[in-house]
Amino acid sequence: MKQTKKLADQSIAQQEAFIHQQAQDTQNIIFTKHALKRMKERRIAAPSVIETLRQGRMKRPAEANIQTGSLECRLERHIAGRDIAVVVAIDDEDPSLIVVTAMD
């Protein structure tokens, strides 16, 4: 039986592909209160965040969040004249994408 590699052990390209795949179903995307607050402050619409999750690129390695046990990935995309970055938490035990924050 083939075992699946943990997300933390996967390459940036594999982590990115996982996020892109999970983001195809918006039911997999959960916005934290912090993310919603920052999105409002920075005038970043939810569709821009979703597009970033679906098509954005990871330009740096994911970082482990010691408090939550999740892996935090930053995806970036140029949308409507703006560079948007979204930090999303992923976990081996849960297919959900937890939007931690969004910035431009």
Side-chain angles (χ1 to χ4, degrees):
M1 179 194 282
K2 183 180 176 186
Q3 284 190 306
T4 306
K5 252 191 195 180
K6 289 188 173 202
L7 288 166
D9 297 332
Q10 293 181 6
S11 69
I12 289 176
Q14 290 170 316
Q15 293 166 348
E16 188 178 279
F18 171 81
I19 294 167
H20 290 173
Q21 179 182 2
Q22 292 306 110
Q24 295 307 309
D25 183 351
T26 55
Q27 290 184 357
N28 290 333
I29 302 171
I30 300 168
F31 292 87
T32 62
K33 288 180 183 178
H34 174 82
L36 293 170
K37 181 179 178 184
R38 294 296 176 249
M39 288 164 58
K40 184 176 180 179
E41 287 174 357
R42 297 168 178 156
R43 295 188 174 134
I44 300 172
S48 294
V49 172
I50 293 168
E51 182 178 335
T52 301
L53 293 175
R54 289 179 177 168
Q55 299 179 21
R57 296 289 170 227
M58 287 177 58
K59 296 181 180 177
R60 56 183 85 170
E63 296 181 14
N65 182 319
I66 297 168
Q67 291 179 327
T68 65
S70 65
L71 196 60
E72 293 186 355
C73 306
R74 177 180 166 141
L75 285 91
E76 301 175 23
R77 182 152 174 83
H78 187 78
I79 302 170
R82 296 172 73 185
D83 290 321
I84 304 292
V86 176
V87 176
V88 62
I90 57 177
D91 189 307
D92 289 309
E93 304 299 319
D94 186 352
S96 299
L97 303 175
I98 310 296
V99 179
V100 177
T101 195
M103 61 205 93
D104 56 355

